[in-house]
Amino acid sequence: MTDKPNTLSLIEHAVPPEGMLAHAGWVSGFSADAGCMDAFVERFTTMGQRERAALGRTYICLCLDRSQPQILPGEVPGMLHLPAATDDPPFRLMHAKVALLGFRNRIDPRKWALRLLVTTGNWTRQTTQDSLDLIWRADLNAEDLAHETDPTSRADIVAVRDFWRWLRPFYQCGLFDAAAPDSRQHEPFGEMEFWLDRLKAPRGVTPRFLDTRRQSLIAQLPARIYALDGTKRRNTLTLGSGFWEGGTEAGLPRVPERIADALRSSGLLTKGAEITMVFEPDDCAALASPAVFASMRQAGWKLRPPLRRPDDNRRLHAKFLFSANWTGGNACASAWAYLGSGNLTPAGFLNAAGRGGNLEAGILMTAKGLHWESQKGVTHVGVVLPVDWTREITDVTSLSAGDGPPERDTLFLAGPVSHLRWIMAPEGGALAAPLGEDSPDLVVIGLDGTPLPRNVAGHFPWPGEQPAYAGVARDGRVVQVPVLDDHGRLARALEPIDLEEAIDKLRNFPVVPETDTNDEGEQPAGTDLNNRLPRAGQMEARYAIRRGMELLETIAERQTDLPKQDWMAWTRRMHCILLQLGTLPGAAETRPNALVEGLLPFALNPLSCLLEPEFLPAYVTPDSPDWAALSQVLADVANNWGMAGFEGFNGEAEHG
């Protein structure tokens, strides 16, 4: 478990543990933007945009407040922004900033890891570049579970698991439902759920993670402190926030006063404790009121700006509480800290989720070993919290209330279907409703903004190649939904590849190696995918056979040692890659790879040998679903390559 201060950015916390691969993840927050999320998903998957787009699979599901604009499908390959399922969820704002990430070992499916991130910032470039924010992280792996180590992290991740299972029904997650017959996007998330199901809350261990589903943050605070660090009284309390309650009435600001009173009445704060407020002077709401300011000064509260370097223009956005005993020495005795999404406003800290309360989440932790001042070999408060302990705000004329929160409208609400299917027919491509979800009322919007007519099959003809998304109408609004191809992939259509790239992708499964592309995903100048090998008329027969055997050997070597959990993903990946060597349906001016054309004159289907027992793992037997899946893939590829009906290497005819 890692909860020590460090300098990693929000994005860098997505990097997989050593020897692990990204598998699946859930991310929530108030807002996000494509730039930040693309960087996050790139670190998580270690793949660029082109490789993620070619895979067409979702690694990260993103749940934001319904007032935020949609990040369009395909804009961040590997991530899908899920729409709110209802405009009346049981919370005022979706404000909890939490990520639960799953990783797995490439070879051994029994080795997996989970990572919990709780942050005070949103998933935006502004957070990573312009804001002073805090992040907390815990890692747990299968070995910890097997040996029953790190019980506190287990308790935290169990709590977060329950948080996510409560939250997901308020978002449209149909693509990730195992019951969806046309979507395979759910499979990694289903395996992650299997890992989470194995976690049991350790007896007598209080989680550090807390949220406002049932109780406000202030209602949970005293009992959590008791459980984590006993009933000691502290004589300091520091409160920091980027946003504060409004109002100009005289008296102490309500939320900080209520927090201090709750701690005092619970025996966790002394009556004369020193209270410090940390805020941005030019955007501090009620704190800028002369009457409120005078009350704080009269009560002896210390008012301080956030700590930053002279050339640092970032602004405080972090929300935190910190309490400890100062006993005249350098040690912070009995220290605890809260960080999370809850602003020091009634909706953020005083109210549970509901019409008057946001859905908030945070971490309450002890801070053992912390010191007040910098000394060699110690961790001091200055590197943990952004507080300028050397400056004090004493003049109310230096403060301004700021603009306050903006009005928010619902911008992204679920459509009548979670996705559409791409159907390829001789007359062209069309869009269709998910299996079992079609309705005569379904309206699909074309490129010109008008409804598309249905054809005789009940599908919606679409001009051109498969789109990453298309609009569907609901209650006078148009919602953009992702489009799945017949491989269960999201986003753009398959592109031709050469033999070397195909072998590389197959050999490195489940990793997708980076290819020689520029930032726009284009091949380098002078490269022709179909001419890296001689054309069929120029290719020697011996050369075609040798290269074909190299391809088959790569497939056989990789698939014979695959874990059973990876088999279906492998057959789908192989299906796509082999089709990329053939004639892609719907693609403009494509022709088979030179290797495929070079093999056709032999009237043999070399793919047939991949069903021989020596080329298969032991669990793939002729009566198994795994065999049926591979057989179907090989038949489809043989048909695409023009080899249907050719004899296999065993002398028997193959049928597409």
Side-chain angles (χ1 to χ4, degrees), residues 364-590:
L364 181 68
M365 74 197 93
T366 58
K368 292 179 170 59
L370 198 60
H371 292 73
W372 292 106
E373 297 180 359
S374 175
Q375 288 182 354
K376 186 176 181 180
V378 304
T379 301
H380 63 97
V381 176
V383 301
V384 178
L385 299 175
V387 183
D388 191 341
W389 301 99
T390 66
R391 296 170 59 200
E392 186 174 355
I393 300 170
T394 59
D395 183 3
V396 70
T397 62
S398 67
L399 305 182
S400 61
D403 296 330
E407 293 293 326
R408 304 193 187 279
D409 298 321
T410 296
L411 294 181
F412 187 33
L413 201 60
V417 293
S418 62
H419 61 283
L420 294 168
R421 296 181 297 126
W422 179 249
I423 306 295
M424 200 65 209
E427 63 273 15
L431 299 173
L435 294 174
E437 295 185 36
D438 200 3
S439 163
D441 299 328
L442 179 63
V443 177
V444 177
I445 305 300
L447 291 170
D448 60 357
T450 61
L452 293 173
R454 288 183 187 255
N455 60 20
V456 293
H459 302 152
F460 301 88
W462 184 271
E465 64 181 22
Q466 175 193 333
Y469 58 88
V472 293
R474 175 179 177 177
D475 300 331
R477 296 178 296 105
V478 175
V479 183
Q480 305 298 333
V481 300
V483 176
L484 285 179
D485 68 10
D486 56 1
H487 305 288
R489 298 167 57 255
L490 283 172
R492 71 187 187 193
L494 291 171
E495 299 174 348
I497 60 175
D498 68 0
L499 181 62
E500 282 70 25
E501 188 173 349
I503 289 174
D504 206 22
K505 288 176 181 291
L506 290 164
R507 181 180 292 130
N508 286 281
F509 174 87
V511 178
V512 178
E514 291 282 355
T515 53
D516 295 329
T517 59
N518 59 29
D519 290 341
E520 282 71 43
E522 298 172 352
Q523 295 295 325
T527 298
D528 183 341
L529 289 173
N530 280 321
N531 286 321
R532 290 194 188 180
L533 292 176
R535 298 307 313 163
Q538 304 168 336
M539 180 180 287
E540 294 181 8
R542 186 178 305 171
Y543 186 74
I545 290 290
R546 180 164 62 84
R547 297 311 306 274
M549 292 306 98
E550 184 179 352
L551 176 66
L552 295 176
E553 182 180 4
T554 299
I555 295 173
E557 284 183 351
R558 187 68 192 99
Q559 76 179 17
T560 51
D561 65 357
L562 277 176
K564 184 174 175 59
Q565 290 89 335
D566 279 347
W567 182 257
M568 290 302 181
W570 162 256
T571 57
R572 286 193 295 275
R573 179 83 67 86
M574 181 171 61
H575 192 190
C576 292
I577 291 170
L578 295 181
L579 287 182
Q580 287 175 284
L581 293 174
T583 304
L584 293 174
E589 299 182 3
T590 64

Side-chain angles (χ1 to χ4, degrees), residues 251-282:
L252 294 169
R254 179 171 43 152
V255 177
E257 183 182 30
R258 287 276 301 276
I259 293 171
D261 287 346
L263 296 174
R264 287 194 190 100
S265 62
S266 302
L268 297 169
L269 190 68
T270 63
K271 184 176 181 180
E274 180 178 277
I275 296 178
T276 300
M277 305 275 282
V278 186
F279 54 88
E280 291 288 355
D282 62 349

Side-chain angles (χ1 to χ4, degrees), residues 75-98:
E75 191 173 359
V76 178
M79 184 216 77
L80 189 63
H81 180 188
L82 303 180
T86 172
D87 199 20
D88 188 28
F91 42 82
R92 176 176 168 270
L93 294 178
M94 170 62 214
H95 205 240
K97 301 160 176 57
V98 180

Side-chain angles (χ1 to χ4, degrees), residues 5-28:
N6 57 59
T7 57
L8 292 180
S9 72
L10 176 63
I11 289 169
E12 290 170 318
H13 280 286
V15 175
E18 186 175 355
M20 293 278 185
L21 302 173
H23 198 59
W26 294 90
V27 173
S28 71

